[in-house]
PDB file of all heavy atoms in Angstrom:
ATOM      1  N   LEU A 119      -5.137  10.363  -8.132  1.00 98.00           N
ATOM      2  CA  LEU A 119      -6.170  10.918  -6.980  1.00 98.00           C
ATOM      3  C   LEU A 119      -6.015   9.941  -5.802  1.00 98.00           C
ATOM      4  O   LEU A 119      -5.878  10.588  -4.732  1.00 98.00           O
ATOM      5  CB  LEU A 119      -7.469  10.967  -7.559  1.00 98.00           C
ATOM      6  CG  LEU A 119      -7.748  12.097  -8.584  1.00 98.00           C
ATOM      7  CD1 LEU A 119      -9.085  11.823  -9.295  1.00 98.00           C
ATOM      8  CD2 LEU A 119      -7.723  13.379  -7.876  1.00 98.00           C
ATOM      9  N   GLY A 120      -6.080   8.770  -6.060  1.00 97.00           N
ATOM     10  CA  GLY A 120      -5.895   7.743  -5.002  1.00 97.00           C
ATOM     11  C   GLY A 120      -4.648   7.853  -4.204  1.00 97.00           C
ATOM     12  O   GLY A 120      -4.570   7.795  -3.059  1.00 97.00           O
ATOM     13  N   GLY A 121      -3.567   7.906  -4.906  1.00 97.00           N
ATOM     14  CA  GLY A 121      -2.187   7.972  -4.414  1.00 97.00           C
ATOM     15  C   GLY A 121      -2.008   9.109  -3.580  1.00 97.00           C
ATOM     16  O   GLY A 121      -1.626   9.160  -2.360  1.00 97.00           O
ATOM     17  N   LEU A 122      -2.525  10.321  -4.081  1.00 98.00           N
ATOM     18  CA  LEU A 122      -2.472  11.640  -3.235  1.00 98.00           C
ATOM     19  C   LEU A 122      -3.424  11.424  -2.131  1.00 98.00           C
ATOM     20  O   LEU A 122      -3.118  12.048  -1.038  1.00 98.00           O
ATOM     21  CB  LEU A 122      -2.868  12.744  -4.189  1.00 98.00           C
ATOM     22  CG  LEU A 122      -2.553  14.088  -3.658  1.00 98.00           C
ATOM     23  CD1 LEU A 122      -1.094  14.201  -3.327  1.00 98.00           C
ATOM     24  CD2 LEU A 122      -2.837  15.242  -4.742  1.00 98.00           C
ATOM     25  N   GLY A 123      -4.490  10.761  -2.273  1.00 97.00           N
ATOM     26  CA  GLY A 123      -5.410  10.498  -1.071  1.00 97.00           C
ATOM     27  C   GLY A 123      -4.751   9.828   0.032  1.00 97.00           C
ATOM     28  O   GLY A 123      -4.895  10.037   1.201  1.00 97.00           O
ATOM     29  N   GLN A 124      -3.977   8.729  -0.378  1.00 97.00           N
ATOM     30  CA  GLN A 124      -3.219   8.015   0.669  1.00 97.00           C
ATOM     31  C   GLN A 124      -2.206   8.708   1.270  1.00 97.00           C
ATOM     32  O   GLN A 124      -1.952   8.775   2.517  1.00 97.00           O
ATOM     33  CB  GLN A 124      -2.667   6.768   0.062  1.00 97.00           C
ATOM     34  CG  GLN A 124      -3.539   5.668  -0.283  1.00 97.00           C
ATOM     35  CD  GLN A 124      -2.948   4.312  -0.714  1.00 97.00           C
ATOM     36  OE1 GLN A 124      -1.956   4.442  -1.564  1.00 97.00           O
ATOM     37  NE2 GLN A 124      -3.366   3.269  -0.217  1.00 97.00           N
ATOM     38  N   VAL A 125      -1.512   9.760   0.545  1.00 97.00           N
ATOM     39  CA  VAL A 125      -0.469  10.520   1.209  1.00 97.00           C
ATOM     40  C   VAL A 125      -1.199  11.464   2.310  1.00 97.00           C
ATOM     41  O   VAL A 125      -0.763  11.624   3.386  1.00 97.00           O
ATOM     42  CB  VAL A 125       0.235  11.302   0.167  1.00 97.00           C
ATOM     43  CG1 VAL A 125       1.021  12.472   0.734  1.00 97.00           C
ATOM     44  CG2 VAL A 125       1.106  10.378  -0.685  1.00 97.00           C
ATOM     45  N   ALA A 126      -2.343  12.013   1.786  1.00 97.00           N
ATOM     46  CA  ALA A 126      -3.063  12.940   2.718  1.00 97.00           C
ATOM     47  C   ALA A 126      -3.521  12.161   3.989  1.00 97.00           C
ATOM     48  O   ALA A 126      -3.306  12.694   5.064  1.00 97.00           O
ATOM     49  CB  ALA A 126      -4.299  13.507   1.996  1.00 97.00           C
ATOM     50  N   GLY A 127      -3.983  11.007   3.932  1.00 96.00           N
ATOM     51  CA  GLY A 127      -4.425  10.247   5.043  1.00 96.00           C
ATOM     52  C   GLY A 127      -3.163   9.828   5.951  1.00 96.00           C
ATOM     53  O   GLY A 127      -3.260   9.895   7.133  1.00 96.00           O
ATOM     54  N   SER A 128      -2.033   9.586   5.333  1.00 95.00           N
ATOM     55  CA  SER A 128      -0.840   9.279   6.119  1.00 95.00           C
ATOM     56  C   SER A 128      -0.339  10.556   6.915  1.00 95.00           C
ATOM     57  O   SER A 128       0.342  10.435   7.968  1.00 95.00           O
ATOM     58  CB  SER A 128       0.344   8.930   5.155  1.00 95.00           C
ATOM     59  OG  SER A 128      -0.011   7.670   4.614  1.00 95.00           O
ATOM     60  N   ARG A 129      -0.641  11.684   6.418  1.00 95.00           N
ATOM     61  CA  ARG A 129      -0.369  12.964   7.085  1.00 95.00           C
ATOM     62  C   ARG A 129      -1.456  13.431   8.072  1.00 95.00           C
ATOM     63  O   ARG A 129      -1.293  14.439   8.711  1.00 95.00           O
ATOM     64  CB  ARG A 129      -0.213  14.041   6.043  1.00 95.00           C
ATOM     65  CG  ARG A 129       1.111  13.825   5.229  1.00 95.00           C
ATOM     66  CD  ARG A 129       1.164  14.950   4.122  1.00 95.00           C
ATOM     67  NE  ARG A 129       2.429  14.969   3.539  1.00 95.00           N
ATOM     68  CZ  ARG A 129       2.744  15.594   2.400  1.00 95.00           C
ATOM     69  NH1 ARG A 129       1.808  16.394   1.879  1.00 95.00           N
ATOM     70  NH2 ARG A 129       4.005  15.634   1.943  1.00 95.00           N
ATOM     71  N   GLY A 130      -2.507  12.577   8.114  1.00 95.00           N
ATOM     72  CA  GLY A 130      -3.592  12.938   9.053  1.00 95.00           C
ATOM     73  C   GLY A 130      -4.527  13.954   8.467  1.00 95.00           C
ATOM     74  O   GLY A 130      -5.420  14.512   9.354  1.00 95.00           O
ATOM     75  N   ARG A 131      -4.546  14.239   7.275  1.00 97.00           N
ATOM     76  CA  ARG A 131      -5.446  15.212   6.674  1.00 97.00           C
ATOM     77  C   ARG A 131      -6.568  14.423   6.011  1.00 97.00           C
ATOM     78  O   ARG A 131      -6.607  14.261   4.827  1.00 97.00           O
ATOM     79  CB  ARG A 131      -4.593  16.013   5.614  1.00 97.00           C
ATOM     80  CG  ARG A 131      -3.487  16.720   6.268  1.00 97.00           C
ATOM     81  CD  ARG A 131      -2.678  17.800   5.516  1.00 97.00           C
ATOM     82  NE  ARG A 131      -2.623  17.645   4.164  1.00 97.00           N
ATOM     83  CZ  ARG A 131      -1.492  18.055   3.437  1.00 97.00           C
ATOM     84  NH1 ARG A 131      -0.374  18.275   4.078  1.00 97.00           N
ATOM     85  NH2 ARG A 131      -1.555  17.984   2.174  1.00 97.00           N
ATOM     86  N   HIS A 132      -7.409  14.061   6.815  1.00 96.00           N
ATOM     87  CA  HIS A 132      -8.478  13.141   6.491  1.00 96.00           C
ATOM     88  C   HIS A 132      -9.604  13.777   5.630  1.00 96.00           C
ATOM     89  O   HIS A 132     -10.188  13.011   4.834  1.00 96.00           O
ATOM     90  CB  HIS A 132      -9.062  12.473   7.737  1.00 96.00           C
ATOM     91  CG  HIS A 132      -8.002  11.623   8.407  1.00 96.00           C
ATOM     92  ND1 HIS A 132      -7.185  10.655   7.836  1.00 96.00           N
ATOM     93  CD2 HIS A 132      -7.438  11.733   9.738  1.00 96.00           C
ATOM     94  CE1 HIS A 132      -6.401  10.235   8.692  1.00 96.00           C
ATOM     95  NE2 HIS A 132      -6.534  10.781   9.870  1.00 96.00           N
ATOM     96  N   GLU A 133      -9.936  14.986   5.796  1.00 97.00           N
ATOM     97  CA  GLU A 133     -10.871  15.712   4.959  1.00 97.00           C
ATOM     98  C   GLU A 133     -10.367  15.651   3.476  1.00 97.00           C
ATOM     99  O   GLU A 133     -11.284  15.420   2.586  1.00 97.00           O
ATOM    100  CB  GLU A 133     -11.169  17.209   5.471  1.00 97.00           C
ATOM    101  CG  GLU A 133     -11.932  17.204   6.810  1.00 97.00           C
ATOM    102  CD  GLU A 133     -13.399  16.773   6.572  1.00 97.00           C
ATOM    103  OE1 GLU A 133     -13.930  16.565   5.473  1.00 97.00           O
ATOM    104  OE2 GLU A 133     -14.193  16.499   7.695  1.00 97.00           O
ATOM    105  N   GLU A 134      -9.080  16.034   3.446  1.00 98.00           N
ATOM    106  CA  GLU A 134      -8.610  15.998   2.058  1.00 98.00           C
ATOM    107  C   GLU A 134      -8.453  14.620   1.456  1.00 98.00           C
ATOM    108  O   GLU A 134      -8.697  14.438   0.253  1.00 98.00           O
ATOM    109  CB  GLU A 134      -7.047  16.609   2.173  1.00 98.00           C
ATOM    110  CG  GLU A 134      -6.299  16.720   0.810  1.00 98.00           C
ATOM    111  CD  GLU A 134      -4.867  17.235   0.999  1.00 98.00           C
ATOM    112  OE1 GLU A 134      -4.541  17.747   2.171  1.00 98.00           O
ATOM    113  OE2 GLU A 134      -4.126  17.048   0.125  1.00 98.00           O
ATOM    114  N   GLU A 135      -8.025  13.669   2.194  1.00 98.00           N
ATOM    115  CA  GLU A 135      -8.148  12.198   1.804  1.00 98.00           C
ATOM    116  C   GLU A 135      -9.449  11.879   1.293  1.00 98.00           C
ATOM    117  O   GLU A 135      -9.617  11.262   0.247  1.00 98.00           O
ATOM    118  CB  GLU A 135      -7.697  11.400   3.035  1.00 98.00           C
ATOM    119  CG  GLU A 135      -7.823   9.960   2.850  1.00 98.00           C
ATOM    120  CD  GLU A 135      -7.666   9.146   4.171  1.00 98.00           C
ATOM    121  OE1 GLU A 135      -7.917   9.654   5.241  1.00 98.00           O
ATOM    122  OE2 GLU A 135      -7.393   7.938   3.935  1.00 98.00           O
ATOM    123  N   LEU A 136     -10.646  12.186   2.160  1.00 98.00           N
ATOM    124  CA  LEU A 136     -11.869  11.892   1.661  1.00 98.00           C
ATOM    125  C   LEU A 136     -12.102  12.512   0.359  1.00 98.00           C
ATOM    126  O   LEU A 136     -12.665  11.916  -0.500  1.00 98.00           O
ATOM    127  CB  LEU A 136     -12.909  12.362   2.764  1.00 98.00           C
ATOM    128  CG  LEU A 136     -14.352  12.139   2.451  1.00 98.00           C
ATOM    129  CD1 LEU A 136     -14.662  10.581   2.237  1.00 98.00           C
ATOM    130  CD2 LEU A 136     -15.203  12.623   3.531  1.00 98.00           C
ATOM    131  N   ASP A 137     -11.891  13.729   0.266  1.00 98.00           N
ATOM    132  CA  ASP A 137     -12.285  14.606  -0.914  1.00 98.00           C
ATOM    133  C   ASP A 137     -11.478  13.773  -2.115  1.00 98.00           C
ATOM    134  O   ASP A 137     -12.137  13.602  -3.235  1.00 98.00           O
ATOM    135  CB  ASP A 137     -11.841  15.966  -0.974  1.00 98.00           C
ATOM    136  CG  ASP A 137     -11.921  16.675  -2.184  1.00 98.00           C
ATOM    137  OD1 ASP A 137     -13.047  16.827  -2.558  1.00 98.00           O
ATOM    138  OD2 ASP A 137     -10.859  17.086  -2.773  1.00 98.00           O
ATOM    139  N   LEU A 138     -10.278  13.477  -2.038  1.00 98.00           N
ATOM    140  CA  LEU A 138      -9.450  12.781  -3.179  1.00 98.00           C
ATOM    141  C   LEU A 138     -10.013  11.458  -3.525  1.00 98.00           C
ATOM    142  O   LEU A 138     -10.226  11.034  -4.730  1.00 98.00           O
ATOM    143  CB  LEU A 138      -7.951  12.771  -2.825  1.00 98.00           C
ATOM    144  CG  LEU A 138      -7.365  14.080  -2.895  1.00 98.00           C
ATOM    145  CD1 LEU A 138      -6.079  14.176  -2.004  1.00 98.00           C
ATOM    146  CD2 LEU A 138      -7.071  14.545  -4.342  1.00 98.00           C
ATOM    147  N   PHE A 139     -10.412  10.704  -2.525  1.00 98.00           N
ATOM    148  CA  PHE A 139     -11.043   9.400  -2.765  1.00 98.00           C
ATOM    149  C   PHE A 139     -12.505   9.369  -3.470  1.00 98.00           C
ATOM    150  O   PHE A 139     -12.831   8.632  -4.255  1.00 98.00           O
ATOM    151  CB  PHE A 139     -10.915   8.383  -1.644  1.00 98.00           C
ATOM    152  CG  PHE A 139      -9.516   7.770  -1.497  1.00 98.00           C
ATOM    153  CD1 PHE A 139      -8.719   8.169  -0.451  1.00 98.00           C
ATOM    154  CD2 PHE A 139      -9.167   6.942  -2.379  1.00 98.00           C
ATOM    155  CE1 PHE A 139      -7.521   7.562  -0.456  1.00 98.00           C
ATOM    156  CE2 PHE A 139      -7.962   6.312  -2.425  1.00 98.00           C
ATOM    157  CZ  PHE A 139      -7.048   6.638  -1.292  1.00 98.00           C
ATOM    158  N   GLN A 140     -13.205  10.433  -3.044  1.00 98.00           N
ATOM    159  CA  GLN A 140     -14.486  10.693  -3.639  1.00 98.00           C
ATOM    160  C   GLN A 140     -14.334  11.153  -5.057  1.00 98.00           C
ATOM    161  O   GLN A 140     -15.123  10.654  -5.859  1.00 98.00           O
ATOM    162  CB  GLN A 140     -15.208  11.807  -2.826  1.00 98.00           C
ATOM    163  CG  GLN A 140     -15.781  11.353  -1.582  1.00 98.00           C
ATOM    164  CD  GLN A 140     -16.439  12.415  -0.716  1.00 98.00           C
ATOM    165  OE1 GLN A 140     -15.988  13.624  -0.685  1.00 98.00           O
ATOM    166  NE2 GLN A 140     -17.410  12.110   0.071  1.00 98.00           N
ATOM    167  N   ARG A 141     -13.467  11.881  -5.373  1.00 98.00           N
ATOM    168  CA  ARG A 141     -13.053  12.276  -6.816  1.00 98.00           C
ATOM    169  C   ARG A 141     -12.601  11.152  -7.524  1.00 98.00           C
ATOM    170  O   ARG A 141     -13.048  10.913  -8.695  1.00 98.00           O
ATOM    171  CB  ARG A 141     -12.003  13.411  -6.833  1.00 98.00           C
ATOM    172  CG  ARG A 141     -12.594  14.750  -6.384  1.00 98.00           C
ATOM    173  CD  ARG A 141     -11.472  15.814  -6.145  1.00 98.00           C
ATOM    174  NE  ARG A 141     -10.628  15.978  -7.402  1.00 98.00           N
ATOM    175  CZ  ARG A 141      -9.531  16.474  -7.396  1.00 98.00           C
ATOM    176  NH1 ARG A 141      -9.011  17.050  -6.205  1.00 98.00           N
ATOM    177  NH2 ARG A 141      -8.689  16.614  -8.504  1.00 98.00           N
ATOM    178  N   ALA A 142     -11.829  10.229  -7.003  1.00 98.00           N
ATOM    179  CA  ALA A 142     -11.428   9.056  -7.703  1.00 98.00           C
ATOM    180  C   ALA A 142     -12.623   8.102  -7.907  1.00 98.00           C
ATOM    181  O   ALA A 142     -12.633   7.408  -8.831  1.00 98.00           O
ATOM    182  CB  ALA A 142     -10.339   8.329  -6.844  1.00 98.00           C
ATOM    183  N   ASP A 143     -13.401   8.040  -6.959  1.00 97.00           N
ATOM    184  CA  ASP A 143     -14.576   7.193  -7.066  1.00 97.00           C
ATOM    185  C   ASP A 143     -15.518   7.596  -8.083  1.00 97.00           C
ATOM    186  O   ASP A 143     -16.144   6.808  -8.886  1.00 97.00           O
ATOM    187  CB  ASP A 143     -15.352   7.031  -5.632  1.00 97.00           C
ATOM    188  CG  ASP A 143     -16.561   6.184  -5.707  1.00 97.00           C
ATOM    189  OD1 ASP A 143     -16.478   5.122  -6.275  1.00 97.00           O
ATOM    190  OD2 ASP A 143     -17.639   6.490  -5.216  1.00 97.00           O
ATOM    191  N   ALA A 144     -15.645   8.898  -8.289  1.00 97.00           N
ATOM    192  CA  ALA A 144     -16.567   9.494  -9.291  1.00 97.00           C
ATOM    193  C   ALA A 144     -15.938   9.088 -10.734  1.00 97.00           C
ATOM    194  O   ALA A 144     -16.714   8.909 -11.714  1.00 97.00           O
ATOM    195  CB  ALA A 144     -16.578  10.997  -9.217  1.00 97.00           C
ATOM    196  N   VAL A 145     -14.633   9.130 -10.757  1.00 97.00           N
ATOM    197  CA  VAL A 145     -13.966   8.623 -12.085  1.00 97.00           C
ATOM    198  C   VAL A 145     -14.039   7.111 -12.337  1.00 97.00           C
ATOM    199  O   VAL A 145     -14.340   6.618 -13.457  1.00 97.00           O
ATOM    200  CB  VAL A 145     -12.439   9.089 -12.114  1.00 97.00           C
ATOM    201  CG1 VAL A 145     -11.759   8.575 -13.270  1.00 97.00           C
ATOM    202  CG2 VAL A 145     -12.357  10.590 -11.961  1.00 97.00           C
ATOM    203  N   GLN A 146     -13.838   6.398 -11.329  1.00 96.00           N
ATOM    204  CA  GLN A 146     -13.787   4.811 -11.367  1.00 96.00           C
ATOM    205  C   GLN A 146     -14.505   4.209 -10.265  1.00 96.00           C
ATOM    206  O   GLN A 146     -14.059   3.805  -9.337  1.00 96.00           O
ATOM    207  CB  GLN A 146     -12.285   4.552 -11.240  1.00 96.00           C
ATOM    208  CG  GLN A 146     -11.930   3.391 -12.028  1.00 96.00           C
ATOM    209  CD  GLN A 146     -10.275   3.263 -12.178  1.00 96.00           C
ATOM    210  OE1 GLN A 146      -9.768   4.267 -12.609  1.00 96.00           O
ATOM    211  NE2 GLN A 146      -9.819   2.127 -11.737  1.00 96.00           N
ATOM    212  N   PRO A 147     -15.930   4.241 -10.413  1.00 93.00           N
ATOM    213  CA  PRO A 147     -16.752   3.884  -9.351  1.00 93.00           C
ATOM    214  C   PRO A 147     -16.846   2.418  -8.925  1.00 93.00           C
ATOM    215  O   PRO A 147     -17.270   2.083  -7.899  1.00 93.00           O
ATOM    216  CB  PRO A 147     -18.195   4.327  -9.687  1.00 93.00           C
ATOM    217  CG  PRO A 147     -18.066   4.408 -11.241  1.00 93.00           C
ATOM    218  CD  PRO A 147     -16.663   4.771 -11.581  1.00 93.00           C
ATOM    219  N   GLU A 148     -16.373   1.534  -9.715  1.00 93.00           N
ATOM    220  CA  GLU A 148     -16.439   0.168  -9.334  1.00 93.00           C
ATOM    221  C   GLU A 148     -15.076  -0.451  -9.095  1.00 93.00           C
ATOM    222  O   GLU A 148     -14.789  -1.591  -9.294  1.00 93.00           O
ATOM    223  CB  GLU A 148     -17.057  -0.666 -10.533  1.00 93.00           C
ATOM    224  CG  GLU A 148     -18.436  -0.181 -10.912  1.00 93.00           C
ATOM    225  CD  GLU A 148     -19.406  -0.402  -9.691  1.00 93.00           C
ATOM    226  OE1 GLU A 148     -19.477  -1.520  -9.054  1.00 93.00           O
ATOM    227  OE2 GLU A 148     -20.119   0.466  -9.310  1.00 93.00           O
ATOM    228  N   ASP A 149     -14.065   0.437  -8.549  1.00 96.00           N
ATOM    229  CA  ASP A 149     -12.797  -0.067  -8.168  1.00 96.00           C
ATOM    230  C   ASP A 149     -12.721  -0.389  -6.733  1.00 96.00           C
ATOM    231  O   ASP A 149     -12.802   0.580  -5.740  1.00 96.00           O
ATOM    232  CB  ASP A 149     -11.778   1.103  -8.516  1.00 96.00           C
ATOM    233  CG  ASP A 149     -10.415   0.603  -8.376  1.00 96.00           C
ATOM    234  OD1 ASP A 149     -10.069   0.220  -7.236  1.00 96.00           O
ATOM    235  OD2 ASP A 149      -9.571   0.765  -9.341  1.00 96.00           O
ATOM    236  N   PRO A 150     -12.553  -1.667  -6.438  1.00 97.00           N
ATOM    237  CA  PRO A 150     -12.434  -2.046  -4.902  1.00 97.00           C
ATOM    238  C   PRO A 150     -11.306  -1.364  -4.126  1.00 97.00           C
ATOM    239  O   PRO A 150     -11.556  -1.008  -2.962  1.00 97.00           O
ATOM    240  CB  PRO A 150     -12.151  -3.522  -5.007  1.00 97.00           C
ATOM    241  CG  PRO A 150     -12.566  -4.004  -6.380  1.00 97.00           C
ATOM    242  CD  PRO A 150     -12.330  -2.811  -7.200  1.00 97.00           C
ATOM    243  N   TRP A 151     -10.157  -1.143  -4.711  1.00 96.00           N
ATOM    244  CA  TRP A 151      -9.072  -0.400  -4.046  1.00 96.00           C
ATOM    245  C   TRP A 151      -9.553   1.111  -3.693  1.00 96.00           C
ATOM    246  O   TRP A 151      -9.393   1.452  -2.495  1.00 96.00           O
ATOM    247  CB  TRP A 151      -7.862  -0.282  -4.949  1.00 96.00           C
ATOM    248  CG  TRP A 151      -6.743   0.462  -4.210  1.00 96.00           C
ATOM    249  CD1 TRP A 151      -5.956   0.075  -3.303  1.00 96.00           C
ATOM    250  CD2 TRP A 151      -6.369   1.768  -4.569  1.00 96.00           C
ATOM    251  NE1 TRP A 151      -4.938   0.922  -3.008  1.00 96.00           N
ATOM    252  CE2 TRP A 151      -5.274   2.104  -3.723  1.00 96.00           C
ATOM    253  CE3 TRP A 151      -6.870   2.849  -5.445  1.00 96.00           C
ATOM    254  CZ2 TRP A 151      -4.605   3.333  -3.764  1.00 96.00           C
ATOM    255  CZ3 TRP A 151      -6.278   4.004  -5.407  1.00 96.00           C
ATOM    256  CH2 TRP A 151      -5.047   4.281  -4.607  1.00 96.00           C
ATOM    257  N   ILE A 152     -10.219   1.789  -4.627  1.00 97.00           N
ATOM    258  CA  ILE A 152     -10.729   3.082  -4.286  1.00 97.00           C
ATOM    259  C   ILE A 152     -11.811   3.012  -3.210  1.00 97.00           C
ATOM    260  O   ILE A 152     -11.806   3.827  -2.206  1.00 97.00           O
ATOM    261  CB  ILE A 152     -11.201   3.764  -5.597  1.00 97.00           C
ATOM    262  CG1 ILE A 152     -10.042   4.044  -6.512  1.00 97.00           C
ATOM    263  CG2 ILE A 152     -11.901   5.055  -5.254  1.00 97.00           C
ATOM    264  CD1 ILE A 152     -10.421   4.563  -7.930  1.00 97.00           C
ATOM    265  N   LEU A 153     -12.751   2.156  -3.395  1.00 98.00           N
ATOM    266  CA  LEU A 153     -13.820   2.023  -2.400  1.00 98.00           C
ATOM    267  C   LEU A 153     -13.390   1.547  -1.015  1.00 98.00           C
ATOM    268  O   LEU A 153     -13.879   2.189   0.091  1.00 98.00           O
ATOM    269  CB  LEU A 153     -14.956   0.918  -2.853  1.00 98.00           C
ATOM    270  CG  LEU A 153     -15.702   1.391  -4.100  1.00 98.00           C
ATOM    271  CD1 LEU A 153     -16.428   0.230  -4.652  1.00 98.00           C
ATOM    272  CD2 LEU A 153     -16.599   2.497  -3.734  1.00 98.00           C
ATOM    273  N   GLY A 154     -12.294   0.852  -0.934  1.00 97.00           N
ATOM    274  CA  GLY A 154     -11.769   0.390   0.282  1.00 97.00           C
ATOM    275  C   GLY A 154     -11.155   1.514   1.046  1.00 97.00           C
ATOM    276  O   GLY A 154     -11.365   1.829   2.260  1.00 97.00           O
ATOM    277  N   ASN A 155     -10.401   2.403   0.191  1.00 97.00           N
ATOM    278  CA  ASN A 155      -9.816   3.486   0.836  1.00 97.00           C
ATOM    279  C   ASN A 155     -10.804   4.603   1.201  1.00 97.00           C
ATOM    280  O   ASN A 155     -10.689   5.356   2.200  1.00 97.00           O
ATOM    281  CB  ASN A 155      -8.648   4.074  -0.137  1.00 97.00           C
ATOM    282  CG  ASN A 155      -7.441   3.444  -0.103  1.00 97.00           C
ATOM    283  OD1 ASN A 155      -6.631   3.354   0.960  1.00 97.00           O
ATOM    284  ND2 ASN A 155      -7.127   2.534  -1.098  1.00 97.00           N
TER     285      ASN A 155
END
């Protein structure tokens, strides 16, 4: 989810990026890499 989020962000698709990182955060809420992104 996070990797795909980074790809979306690199493409300028920030709503999609946000959605993917929110989903990743729901799965792994204490991950600094996910929270930073």
